[in-house]
Amino acid sequence: MNTAATTTGATYRAWSKLPNNTIGSTVFSIGMCLRVPYFASVLPRVVALEPGRCEVKAPKWLGIRNHLGTFHAIAACNLAEVAMGMLAEATVPTSHRWIPKSMTVQYLTKATTSLRAVAELETIPDFATITDGCEIVVPVAIRDTVGVEVMHADITIWVSAASR
């Protein structure tokens, strides 16, 4: 039985309908970039999505390199926002809405390879208790191809009941 607190939005429903393989992931990611064109700048590919967790990969390509030839810090921030945004879309029910409020970033080391961002909530909030709104911090770990965390972001989103 779907209640307002458990109803998933269109983004997560679209992900759930696609095949669980590279083709489905690619089709979803293209659609995501058409809806949010700025995301396309890092050529993201969502590879895992479920309530409370999202994993996104981005290649190291000419368009995201900085003057050192490494993955540009702000491009990595964009990747973190992709992961957070898709996590929020998969997690926040249609009875509520969300918007980014702030981002705190730690640049831990140079990113010399393609990157993988994982946004993951330790626990999923009880949205039925959120009536006036609240802040939720979404941690995002960004790792290189050997698994070293090169950047960490904590993105605060504001979640409130949707207007009727």
Side-chain angles (χ1 to χ4, degrees), residues 42-59:
V42 294
L43 304 177
R45 186 167 65 86
V46 177
V47 296
L49 181 62
E50 62 187 72
R53 185 175 188 282
C54 179
E55 181 178 341
V56 184
K57 292 183 177 182

Side-chain angles (χ1 to χ4, degrees), residues 98-127:
W98 66 273
I99 188 165
K101 189 172 180 182
S102 68
M103 177 189 279
T104 303
V105 179
Q106 295 174 314
Y107 303 108
L108 305 171
T109 190
K110 287 189 277 186
T112 59
T113 69
S114 298
L115 298 178
R116 176 177 54 95
V118 177
E120 192 163 20
L121 294 174
E122 193 172 300
T123 58
I124 295 176
D126 179 1
F127 290 98

Side-chain angles (χ1 to χ4, degrees), residues 84 87-89 91-101 121 124-138 155-163:
M84 173 282 302
L87 174 144
E89 286 291 303
T91 307
V92 177
T94 57
S95 58
H96 289 71
R97 60 185 174 196
W98 66 273
I99 188 165
K101 189 172 180 182
L121 294 174
I124 295 176
D126 179 1
F127 290 98
T129 64
I130 300 174
T131 55
D132 294 333
C134 75
E135 292 182 351
I136 297 173
V137 177
V138 179
I155 305 174
T156 302
I157 59 174
W158 179 255
V159 177
S160 58
S163 301

